[in-house]
């Protein structure tokens, strides 16, 4: 009886080990396939096989998760294929993840220059523009690292002020801590602002060749104006199934069908 139980337990343990080993091998193979997918997609892009490269990048985003570099490369593919709305969409998604990247911003500007509607945003207070530019000069991860580093250095400055006997060192500690406190506050506010942009996505890109903006969510309502593909909008009301109330960058607003746009 004891012999049979021992054999049974041994077989059960061996089966468990085999399953764990199989799962481990499968995980390694999956990670290797993802890396291969990125390499293959880059190779396809270099060979100017842009449609195949775009499909590979789309698969990579679906399986591995979002990344600014992949969105940027995908936007480049669509730009090369002259599919400007999709290029703008993916550049905008890349900017959300890495707003400080100059290459992404430059390519986004090129793509938007090819859209039909040339929008002049309304003027805003200088400090609003200044704060947005400051917030977007680095990614959220960079702001977090800066905030943590400044906080640690601030604590060191406080310790210097409290425990060092030399007056000069104490002054350096207290003034340095005050400056670092400002950096900590700015870094945290910038990180919170970027996090809000990532989690509460209320902007979209028009993908339909053209769409008539309505005064209310109905096909029979008054036509307000015509908007074309590639335009960026802010979603004011997304509660309805088939319609969304949107605001355009120049300030005009109205209702458009939900299938005419895609959330950034």
């Amino acid at each position: 009886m004891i012999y049979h139980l021992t054999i049974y337990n041994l077989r059960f343990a061996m089966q468990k080990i085999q399953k764990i080993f199989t799962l481990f091998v499968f995980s390694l193979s999956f990670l290797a396939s993802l890396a291969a997918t990125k390499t293959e997609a880059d190779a396809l892009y270099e060979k100017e096989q842009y449609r195949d490269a775009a499909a590979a990048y789309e698969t990579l985003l679906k399986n591995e998760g979002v990344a600014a570099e992949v969105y940027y490369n995908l936007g480049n593919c669509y730009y090369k294929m002259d599919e400007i709305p999709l290029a703008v969409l993916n550049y905008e998604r890349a900017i959300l993840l890495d707003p400080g990247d100059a290459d992404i911003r430059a390519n986004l500007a090129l793509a938007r220059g090819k859209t039909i509607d040339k929008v002049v945003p309304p003027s805003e207070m200088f400090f609003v523009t200044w704060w947005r530019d400051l917030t977007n000069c680095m990614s959220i991860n960079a702001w977090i690292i800066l905030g943590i580093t400044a906080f640690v250095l601030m604590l060191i400055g406080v310790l210097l002020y409290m425990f060092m006997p030399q007056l000069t060192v104490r002054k350096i500690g207290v003034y340095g801590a005050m400056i670092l406190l400002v950096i900590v506050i700015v870094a945290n506010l910038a990180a919170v602002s970027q996090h809000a942009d990532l989690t509460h996505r209320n902007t979209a890109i028009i993908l339909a060749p053209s769409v008539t903006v309505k005064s209310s969510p109905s096909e029979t309502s008054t036509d307000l104006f015509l908007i074309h593909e590639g335009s960026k909008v802010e979603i004011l009301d997304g509660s309805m199934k088939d319609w969304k109330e949107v605001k355009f960058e120049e300030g005009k607003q109205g209702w458009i069908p939900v299938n005419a746009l895609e959330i950034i």
Side-chain angles (χ1 to χ4, degrees):
M1 182 68 177
I2 296 175
Y3 172 77
H4 288 297
L5 286 174
T6 303
I7 294 297
Y8 174 79
N9 290 334
L10 182 59
R11 287 177 178 175
F12 181 77
M14 290 298 294
Q15 289 174 355
K16 285 291 185 182
I17 293 172
Q18 186 177 7
K19 288 181 179 179
I20 292 172
F21 179 75
T22 303
L23 181 61
F24 177 72
V25 172
F26 175 78
S27 299
L28 289 179
S29 301
F30 178 70
L31 292 174
S33 67
L34 291 179
T37 302
K38 175 67 166 59
T39 303
E40 291 168 2
D42 292 341
L44 289 169
Y45 182 86
E46 291 174 0
K47 294 176 183 177
E48 299 184 0
Q49 298 177 15
Y50 300 122
R51 193 162 300 279
D52 292 337
Y57 286 129
E58 294 278 12
T59 300
L60 192 65
L61 289 167
K62 180 179 178 181
N63 292 337
E64 191 174 4
V66 298
E69 180 186 2
V70 180
Y71 276 133
Y72 174 65
N73 292 345
L74 182 57
N76 288 339
C77 289
Y78 285 123
Y79 185 85
K80 293 291 187 179
M81 292 187 289
D82 204 32
E83 297 183 19
I84 302 304
L86 289 172
V88 171
L89 175 66
N90 285 283
Y91 288 145
E92 290 280 3
R93 287 173 171 171
I95 283 289
L96 272 179
L97 297 173
D98 191 3
D101 192 301
D103 290 335
I104 300 175
R105 290 196 172 276
N107 283 22
L108 175 59
L110 287 174
R112 296 193 72 176
K114 283 193 164 188
T115 58
I116 297 174
D117 300 317
K118 309 303 179 186
V119 176
V120 179
S123 59
E124 58 187 9
M125 298 298 291
F126 75 93
F127 58 84
V128 176
T129 303
W130 177 84
W131 173 249
R132 184 175 62 251
D133 292 343
L134 176 64
T135 301
N136 292 333
C137 72
M138 295 193 298
S139 67
I140 185 172
N141 291 334
W143 280 118
I144 291 172
I145 293 171
L146 176 62
I148 294 173
T149 304
F151 181 75
V152 172
L153 293 175
M154 183 188 71
L155 292 180
I156 294 173
V158 171
L159 292 175
L160 290 176
Y161 171 75
M162 293 177 63
F163 298 108
M164 293 299 292
Q166 297 89 347
L167 181 59
T168 302
V169 176
R170 294 181 65 189
K171 285 183 177 180
I172 292 173
V174 68
Y175 290 127
M178 292 171 64
I179 295 171
L180 290 165
L181 176 61
V182 174
I183 295 175
V184 169
I185 293 173
V186 170
N188 278 274
L189 290 175
V192 168
S193 177
Q194 286 195 22
H195 182 264
D197 291 338
L198 285 170
T199 54
H200 303 95
R201 300 192 180 188
N202 64 340
T203 53
I205 299 298
I206 302 296
L207 295 186
S210 63
V211 57
T212 301
V213 182
K214 299 286 187 175
S215 60
S216 62
S218 171
E219 289 288 353
T220 58
S221 62
T222 304
D223 295 346
L224 297 180
F225 52 91
L226 191 68
I227 196 75
H228 297 89
E229 59 184 6
S231 297
K232 185 178 180 180
V233 298
E234 176 187 356
I235 299 173
L236 301 177
D237 185 350
S239 60
M240 300 190 68
K241 180 181 179 182
D242 299 322
W243 294 83
K244 290 188 184 296
E245 185 182 17
V246 297
K247 180 180 179 181
F248 298 87
E249 289 181 291
E250 69 270 28
K252 297 185 294 184
Q253 62 187 66
W255 293 83
I256 62 175
V258 68
N259 57 8
L261 53 78
E262 186 166 341
I263 303 293
I264 293 174

